[in-house]
Amino acid sequence: MSVKNSAVMTMLAGSAIAVLVLFAAIGASRASAQIRPYTPPQTAAPGADWTERIEEILPPGVESRAEATARLVAYKPDPVKYPVPRTPWDGKPDFSGVYWPDATIAPPPVALESLYRPEAREYREGGGAARGLFDWRGIDTPNYHCWPPSPVNGSMAGTVQLVSAPGYLLLLNEGAQFFRIIPIVGEDGRRPSPRKPSFQGSSVGHWEGDTLVVEVTNFNGKPWLGGAQPPNQPPQTSSDALRIVERWSRPDAQIFEYRLVVEDPRMLTAQWTGPAERRGLMPYDAVQESLCFLDPELDARHREFAAAEAARKAAVR
Amino acid sequence: MTVVVGAVAVAALLLGVRMAVNEDGAGEGATAGSFAARTAWGEPNLTGIWKGDSLGAGSGRDTFNLTMLEALYTPEARARMKELSAKDDPTMRCAPPAFPRAAMLGHPVQIVQSPGFAYVFTEAYPAFRIIPTTGRPHTSEQYLFPNYLGDSTARWEGDTLVVDVISFNGEGWLASAQDRPTNASTGVWLTTDAMHVVERWRRIDADTLEYQARVEDQKALTMPWETPKVILKRQAVDGIEEGLCRPEDGPATYLARLGS
């Protein structure tokens, strides 16, 4: 994201709570929980006037991301005042919207690092499945390779757009054109076939009341569950046994909430409950195109590092 | 009793016929998304995973009208093209190719619709397009952000989704370096920020999607260029794979992956 955009995002942060006020009218028009004919929301076009809107809706005094986040955390959902929008096809909560910023409403009960198996240390030191590729004591992370972020570490970062569609929840990241297409099991109970092992895994959603529960499996073993903290904490690597259960909910029309539980018996001694996150609806209906390009200089350093590692191993043998 | 059984049988038969008509031959609930001919809100339903044949030009073959395109470049554009080579194709840096080029690569495309929008996802160079389908205007000029995939807006003309795309950044190519329909071909297919694409997406039957595009570029082409009609077939899979383009794989690897 450019400096200019960062500045805009900071302003957007400040506007998040003001948006709650803006959307109050929309919430009121959706007062009935019954299914109604759908009218596409008349919100701003992609890339539409951000700054004017911000000036229009930003109340004086709320101008920092930190304050917007704090207000989002303190916000008390009010489904009577702001009824949960529902889809016309199944009456389930409609997640559609662009959301920002991410606010942690409950930290993890225990630190992820405390659950790592001691015997996984050597594997982690070597960079996990990306062995020989990463110099984790430097600034190097999967993000620098433009690898798709896993749900635990990165896919919820930045500005996200959610789309409820018949049979799917879509997650569109503004960060780098990453996306998740989450199929939702229908009334026939048929589960979609898994795809090849990947960074983002294979997702399957099902409804438990008004909560969308998404099971994610079939990872390729390369995602990090958390970053390295050199010199002592090696990367929080995962294995192909990684399994994540996400719980998506919309307490009211202004926000959505996200919780996740991580299992990886080859890396962790127990299940890990991640932070509970909340995000506020923004007055836009689409994220913008943004791409992730590998830094050529960093790429050159990777090649040197990988070559040196290979030479070192050859010498040991 | 016989009459009742007969009536039930006739009713079942009628119901069966009606369902077949409604379903346009596609099995409802074959995956999570519905493949019925129309969405729950009445638009033609393009939902699904679609894939066409790999198209292109070379060795006397031209399946994407590239001979025509080549003839349309202005002298100024030709002069610039002579200075460029395969390494200048932004897909070499893993930038996603825009449509119509993306439709000629022969890689899967997944479409999901929600009321007022269609979302197009590509597997080969993972990227998404957000296409409003209500015929609303483009993003106002003041706030357009030139990019690789452009700014799309669409309307339904009967059962055809007509997508108007502007605001390209002028870096994308219309075909690949391997595409050389004539002896004089440079293998360079540049565009400019004046490119304007009009696409027509139409579901012909439950398993067939037709795609066609018209490309204008007043800074590079003397006349609009039209692609042939591209036929994409429904894939019997539940989703596209997670594609990963890595420049470190080297050009040979990912051009091979592109099938070009």
Side-chain angles (χ1 to χ4, degrees), chain A residues 38 46-47 49 161 163 165 167 177 179 181 184 188 190 192-193 195-196 198-200 285 289 291 293 303, chain B residues 29-32 93 110 112-113 115 119 121 127-128 130 136 139 143 145 147-149 238 240-242 244 248:
Chain A
Y38 186 89
D49 191 346
Q161 178 174 359
V163 177
Q177 276 277 320
F179 57 85
I181 302 170
I184 301 171
D188 63 2
R190 182 184 170 278
S193 54
R195 58 183 188 172
K196 293 173 190 164
S198 61
F199 285 92
Q200 301 192 92
D285 62 6
E289 176 181 309
L291 300 171
F293 289 115
R303 289 165 195 266
Chain B
T31 70
R93 304 192 299 272
Q110 182 161 5
V112 175
Q113 276 166 265
Y119 304 85
F121 301 88
F128 57 82
I130 301 171
R136 74 181 191 191
T139 303
Y143 301 107
F145 185 85
N147 57 30
Y148 283 95
L149 302 181
D238 290 332
I240 54 175
E241 298 291 337
E242 179 182 276
L244 183 65
E248 62 263 40

Side-chain angles (χ1 to χ4, degrees), chain A residues 160-228:
Chain A
V160 298
Q161 178 174 359
L162 301 182
V163 177
S164 288
Y168 298 98
L169 176 70
L170 309 178
L171 170 64
L172 311 176
N173 280 81
E174 190 161 75
Q177 276 277 320
F178 293 124
F179 57 85
R180 287 175 65 195
I181 302 170
I182 303 173
I184 301 171
V185 172
E187 288 177 359
D188 63 2
R190 182 184 170 278
R191 290 172 67 88
S193 54
R195 58 183 188 172
K196 293 173 190 164
S198 61
F199 285 92
Q200 301 192 92
S202 300
S203 298
V204 185
H206 71 273
W207 289 102
E208 290 182 5
D210 278 352
T211 300
L212 183 66
V213 180
V214 180
E215 183 187 12
V216 199
T217 56
N218 232 29
F219 289 93
N220 63 8
K222 292 182 180 175
W224 291 5
L225 305 179

Side-chain angles (χ1 to χ4, degrees), chain A residues 41-49 285-286, chain B residues 116-117 130-144 150-156 162-167 196:
Chain A
Q42 296 298 308
T43 49
D49 191 346
D285 62 6
Chain B
F117 289 91
I130 301 171
I131 305 175
T133 57
T134 51
R136 74 181 191 191
H138 277 288
T139 303
S140 67
E141 202 171 313
Q142 187 180 357
Y143 301 107
L144 273 180
D151 182 77
S152 298
T153 186
R155 65 184 189 282
W156 292 99
V162 181
V163 188
D164 193 275
V165 198
I166 59 170
S167 191
H196 171 213

